[in-house]
Amino acid sequence: MAIVLKNVSYKHSPYDKEYFLSNVNLEIDDNKICGIIGKSGSGKTTLLEILGGINKPTDGEVLINYVDINKEDYRKNIGIVFQFPEEQFFEIDVKREIEFAAKNYHVKRKKLKEVLKVVGLEDNILTRKLDSLSNGEKRLIAIASVLIYNPKVILFDEPTIGLDYKNKKKIINLIKDLKNRYDKTIIIVSHDIDLLYLMCDDLIILSNGKIILYGDVDSVFNEIDILKKYNIQIPRILKFTNYLKDKKNIRLLPCKTINDLIKEVYRNV
Ligand code: ADP
């Protein structure tokens, strides 16, 4: 188990009468991609910030491999890539920006080129000014600045927001690579249900500070009645395959991409 929330309760302010999160118990497995989804105000950011150690639980513990992240030097175990991370750069050029993170976590600078390779950028980008980079490149540099200290768990808040199709695809493939080739545990907060269906192994559905569903993606999206009750959409591909099953009596294997879906339709119709 990579991350465990043990009896976690949280108030935004000590003056709040009630807990926003109340007695949450959760185990997020190692080397998985886990998505967090819910309406605006459901508590996604609050949960992400607790998982990332930015907010400390009012009660309870957050453990990574049995160690309380709020007691030990947890920073090295967790990386957070914020929404629009490129708006939070500290330095002027790429080299200094990544070195800034390296210095903070006492990592040798020679790792710089290694992390650029992981995110698919050439060494010559190191001398570029940050404000001369494209949005996609900026996002990759923000991810490289997290990878430089090699955290075990990486949290992404809306990782593809504001990116065009090509850059969105790049980030999706990179995140999958971080799990499959570099053994990271990934947690993604997103509004984009289609994206989470494509990428995640597991899914947490939040409503009003409560976890209403948690499990592997397919079993979560099987809970049609609960999803309806909380007004959570199901992925468009799944909606279509369910429609074919219910209205046309055509049963397709679960498909994650349009290409898989087209192949399945040709195979069956
Ligand atoms: P989401 O990310 O799902 O939109 P948030 O975690 O940002 O939800 O917010 C959950 C709830 O907590 C909202 O009602 C929000 O207004 C409230 N909230 C968030 N941060 C604070 C804060 N610092 N002080 C008081 N209330 C807050």
Side-chain angles (χ1 to χ4, degrees):
M1 74 195 73
I3 300 198
V4 174
L5 296 195
K6 226 169 147 184
N7 303 324
V8 165
S9 296
Y10 183 75
K11 283 180 184 178
H12 290 293
S13 144
Y15 305 108
D16 289 352
K17 281 199 186 112
E18 292 184 6
Y19 287 109
F20 178 67
L21 297 177
S22 175
N23 209 22
V24 175
N25 288 291
L26 183 67
E27 289 185 14
I28 296 174
D29 286 335
D30 244 343
N31 196 221
K32 289 262 172 88
I33 301 182
C34 177
I36 303 177
I37 207 155
K39 300 269 163 220
S40 265
S42 61
K44 301 181 295 295
T45 308
T46 305
L47 182 60
L48 194 83
E49 290 182 351
I50 288 173
L51 288 166
I54 294 174
N55 288 332
K56 292 190 171 127
T58 316
D59 286 308
E61 293 172 312
V62 183
L63 310 166
I64 289 194
N65 293 340
Y66 307 101
V67 181
D68 186 336
I69 62 166
N70 291 304
K71 284 191 184 138
E72 301 286 324
D73 177 20
Y74 63 88
R75 275 275 163 208
K76 63 184 186 306
N77 291 320
I78 291 192
I80 307 180
V81 182
F82 294 99
Q83 264 192 53
F84 301 112
E86 54 276 12
E87 288 172 6
Q88 294 170 19
F89 285 141
F90 294 97
E91 294 287 349
I92 294 171
D93 62 41
V94 171
K95 185 162 180 278
R96 281 188 223 179
E97 182 63 31
I98 305 178
E99 275 178 356
F100 177 83
K103 231 183 281 169
N104 262 350
Y105 297 100
H106 314 292
V107 178
K108 293 197 180 90
R109 285 176 189 188
K110 67 179 182 197
K111 294 252 180 212
L112 231 74
K113 291 183 180 174
E114 272 174 44
V115 292
L116 284 181
K117 209 167 154 194
V118 174
V119 300
L121 292 170
E122 303 287 335
D123 295 353
N124 58 13
I125 203 164
L126 281 171
T127 52
R128 296 266 304 274
K129 295 257 185 302
L130 288 163
D131 61 11
S132 76
L133 302 178
S134 70
N135 277 346
E137 287 166 336
K138 284 179 184 168
R139 192 72 50 100
L140 293 172
I141 295 301
I143 296 174
S145 304
V146 164
L147 292 177
I148 189 82
Y149 61 93
N150 198 22
K152 172 87 200 76
V153 181
I154 307 180
L155 313 181
F156 287 89
D157 194 0
E158 300 282 2
T160 59
I161 200 163
L163 296 180
D164 59 18
Y165 176 76
K166 193 172 123 225
N167 285 304
K168 191 171 165 178
K169 216 165 159 194
K170 244 188 214 168
I171 297 286
I172 291 172
N173 289 335
L174 171 59
I175 294 177
K176 284 186 183 167
D177 245 22
L178 292 177
K179 175 200 144 182
N180 294 329
R181 292 177 59 191
Y182 300 97
D183 286 334
K184 304 292 181 199
T185 299
I186 309 280
I187 300 173
I188 303 175
V189 162
S190 178
H191 281 92
D192 188 338
I193 292 183
D194 294 315
L195 176 84
L196 291 180
Y197 184 58
L198 173 70
M199 297 189 69
C200 295
D201 302 295
D202 295 330
L203 209 54
I204 294 169
I205 305 216
L206 279 180
S207 175
N208 205 15
K210 294 203 168 49
I211 294 173
I212 53 162
L213 284 172
Y214 175 44
D216 69 86
V217 170
D218 290 318
S219 66
V220 164
F221 283 122
N222 250 336
E223 298 287 348
I224 305 286
D225 292 340
I226 301 180
L227 296 170
K228 252 191 200 148
K229 179 174 164 198
Y230 289 95
N231 203 15
I232 305 282
Q233 296 290 317
I234 67 165
R236 281 180 299 171
I237 284 189
L238 207 54
K239 218 179 209 171
F240 183 67
T241 51
N242 285 350
Y243 168 81
L244 289 182
K245 189 176 76 190
D246 298 341
K247 301 276 194 251
K248 307 284 177 191
N249 205 20
I250 298 170
R251 285 171 189 276
L252 304 181
L253 289 173
C255 301
K256 294 276 160 148
T257 65
I258 295 291
N259 280 345
D260 291 348
L261 178 66
I262 292 170
K263 278 187 212 150
E264 261 300 287
V265 170
Y266 273 123
R267 222 169 54 79
N268 283 277
V269 180

